[in-house]
Amino acid sequence: MPTKSNVQVKFPKALVRKSVLALAVAGLLGTTGLATQTGIFVPAPAVAQSALAGAPAEGFADLVDKVMPSVVSIQSKYTPAMAQGDAEPGGQQFQFGFPPGSPFEQFFKNMPNGQRSPFNDPRSRGGTSQGSGFIISADGYAVTNNHVIKDASEVSVKFSDGREYDARVVGTDPKTDLALLKIESGETFTPLKFAEAKPRVGDWVIAVGNPFGLGGTVTTGIISAAGRDIGAGPYDDFLQIDAPINRGNSGGPAFNLKGEVIGINTAIYSPSGGSVGIGFAIPASTAKAIIADLEDDGNVTRGWLGVQIQPVTSEIADSIGLEKAHGTIIAGVTEGSPAGIAGLKTGDTILSVDGEEVAGPKELSRKIASIKPGSSVDMTVYRGGNQRNVSVSIGQMPGDTVAAGGAGSDSLEDTPRLGLALAPSETGEGVAVADVLNGSPAAEQGIRRGDVIIEIDGASVSQPEAAAQALRQAIKKGGKAVLLLVKNDRGQRFVALQNQKG
């Protein structure tokens, strides 16, 4: 934020007269900033600026008066016994106290110089931590982040007027970092409303919360971006905001100018531990559905298709005959899953669900997860050069599963144009990658020694000689890329290898 300076800037009188005259003639004096050829910008009056931006000329005080009584500070208490195994060595945690190995920890590890939060996690030693939340029902249901109350032995909420109550955890959803609390009181509270309209990039946003334990604090800014994926989980769809939020703002609301909740402040990107203008909020559209599920039975029920999926790159699109790279390609189908029962196959590309276009894997994952188990959906699938409609009865998501594959390295069969050396697979499924030539198309696409190639251009392979012949035939066709289905201990995926001439 700009600070005052004792340095005085003097404009040449002639320049000032010319600039003022030009602006006065244009009818702009007093409504815009004054920009001169010196490169110095003199801001316009604040009232005029906020009027131009669509903000209340008198500020946000009336809106804050309306929403502040429904925003709460949350205090979580921990006992040392509950902290065992949660903290990093030395009791240090990344921003907001995410547990080691969590996706959020990986996101914050990418901060410049690997900056860690200077705050100790109270779970490592017992004690308290603080966050934010807000009331959503007259009988005292409140929303916050899961990481604010995770593993807490006691939770309490405090209002801006000083009232404080104990609260119980109704349910949590770690995958979206949301939690629902119930205030233990017979009093009636003033609830906030989730926004129905989707916010737009550039809209005003007002954040209210409990940064650094200071209590009700208000900051303003705009929505900087939407649909952000920060590696927190399979359903990432964050709003990025520049309204300053800090440690302790987690779980607090972000409002539009109507006083409706458009997001729940969850994380920040920070090299210093404080706000640098990059914050992330869970959209109201996501929160509403999750909170409704938690209120119903304390759990979240998600739809399940039973496929491994990956993006359709331009190379994959070329190799399968799609005009453009869109949709998501199926890299594997779980046996007995809704997808398998409906006849979906590895290599199918899902283009739309119930008429809504699928841009990529994240969109498909969110779409399927939001569908009630047992519901039937129509999918448009691209297979073998043609589109077809497939009806799928969505199942209920089971526990997470991990696909595994074997590898071997006996005799070699060289395919120099792609940079692969092949060998029999120890499991008998596919052929193993025995070696990869540095700088080759295979190396550039991330294929590694020990990977197993299951299919080449849609045909199953089980012997190195047959696989090498299939690769040669694919190269002779003159296509831009050769499509491989590759499997390793992280699952399986399609890889389109560029055909190098020569």
Side-chain angles (χ1 to χ4, degrees), residues 108-133:
F108 288 109
K109 274 185 178 179
N110 294 327
M111 295 191 301
N113 301 320
Q115 178 70 40
R116 291 171 178 260
S117 168
F119 303 96
N120 287 330
D121 182 2
R123 283 173 290 189
S124 67
R125 64 192 186 284
T128 63
S129 69
Q130 295 180 324
S132 305

Side-chain angles (χ1 to χ4, degrees), residues 4 82 193 196 198 258 271 274 276 304 328 354 387 395 478 497:
K4 294 183 179 180
M82 289 189 136
K193 179 183 178 183
E196 295 293 335
K198 185 178 180 179
K258 296 179 181 179
V276 293
W304 179 58
T328 181
D354 279 345
Q387 290 189 17
L497 298 185

Side-chain angles (χ1 to χ4, degrees), residues 303-310 328-348 350 361 364-365 368 379 381 392 394 397-398 401 403 492:
W304 179 58
L305 185 58
V307 293
Q308 295 179 45
I309 53 178
Q310 67 179 85
T328 181
I329 192 166
I330 297 176
V333 179
T334 302
E335 185 177 354
S337 67
I341 294 172
L344 292 177
K345 299 179 179 180
T346 298
D348 287 350
I350 300 174
L364 180 64
S365 295
I368 297 300
M379 294 185 176
V381 175
V392 183
I394 300 299
M397 183 177 290
T401 59
Q492 61 188 46

Side-chain angles (χ1 to χ4, degrees), residues 74-367:
I74 295 178
Q75 181 168 281
S76 302
K77 296 182 179 179
Y78 301 92
T79 62
M82 289 189 136
Q84 297 300 318
D86 273 347
E88 296 178 340
Q92 294 280 309
Q93 287 284 45
F94 286 90
Q95 190 68 13
F96 297 138
F98 297 119
S102 75
F104 276 115
E105 180 193 59
Q106 295 303 315
F107 175 72
F108 288 109
K109 274 185 178 179
N110 294 327
M111 295 191 301
N113 301 320
Q115 178 70 40
R116 291 171 178 260
S117 168
F119 303 96
N120 287 330
D121 182 2
R123 283 173 290 189
S124 67
R125 64 192 186 284
T128 63
S129 69
Q130 295 180 324
S132 305
F134 58 97
I135 305 300
I136 61 166
S137 71
D139 56 349
Y141 280 95
V143 176
T144 188
N145 283 139
N146 175 60
H147 75 258
V148 170
I149 52 84
K150 182 179 182 292
D151 296 331
S153 55
E154 297 178 35
V155 178
S156 62
V157 301
K158 186 175 182 178
F159 287 81
S160 58
D161 61 7
R163 290 177 298 159
E164 190 168 356
Y165 304 91
D166 291 333
R168 62 180 173 88
V169 178
V170 176
T172 64
D173 182 43
K175 290 184 177 180
T176 55
D177 198 21
L178 288 169
L180 181 64
L181 308 178
K182 178 66 169 65
I183 296 174
E184 303 290 5
S185 170
E187 293 187 36
T188 299
F189 302 93
T190 303
L192 294 173
K193 179 183 178 183
F194 284 112
E196 295 293 335
K198 185 178 180 179
R200 300 181 304 166
V201 173
D203 281 351
W204 280 99
V205 61
I206 299 96
V208 183
N210 180 33
F212 301 110
L214 294 173
T217 299
V218 182
T219 56
T220 63
I222 63 169
I223 297 175
S224 304
R228 287 297 197 215
D229 181 351
I230 64 174
Y235 311 115
D236 278 17
D237 188 26
F238 288 95
L239 299 173
Q240 181 182 324
I241 66 175
D242 71 353
I245 58 175
N246 290 282
R247 183 179 177 88
N249 272 110
S250 286
F255 296 101
N256 59 21
L257 293 184
K258 296 179 181 179
E260 300 168 331
V261 178
I262 60 171
I264 299 172
N265 301 319
T266 298
I268 65 172
Y269 175 82
S270 173
S272 62
S275 173
V276 293
I278 302 178
F280 302 98
I282 301 167
S285 56
T286 298
K288 280 189 295 186
I290 298 300
I291 294 304
D293 252 9
L294 292 177
E295 188 173 359
D296 184 43
D297 59 4
N299 296 296
V300 176
T301 301
R302 291 185 169 90
W304 179 58
L305 185 58
V307 293
Q308 295 179 45
I309 53 178
Q310 67 179 85
V312 177
T313 63
S314 57
E315 293 84 5
I316 290 177
D318 286 339
S319 64
I320 63 177
L322 271 178
E323 291 184 1
K324 64 175 183 177
H326 68 298
T328 181
I329 192 166
I330 297 176
V333 179
T334 302
E335 185 177 354
S337 67
I341 294 172
L344 292 177
K345 299 179 179 180
T346 298
D348 287 350
T349 300
I350 300 174
L351 301 178
S352 68
V353 176
D354 279 345
E356 295 184 8
E357 185 175 341
V358 173
K362 283 287 184 181
E363 289 77 15
L364 180 64
S365 295
R366 288 195 293 264
K367 177 68 176 176

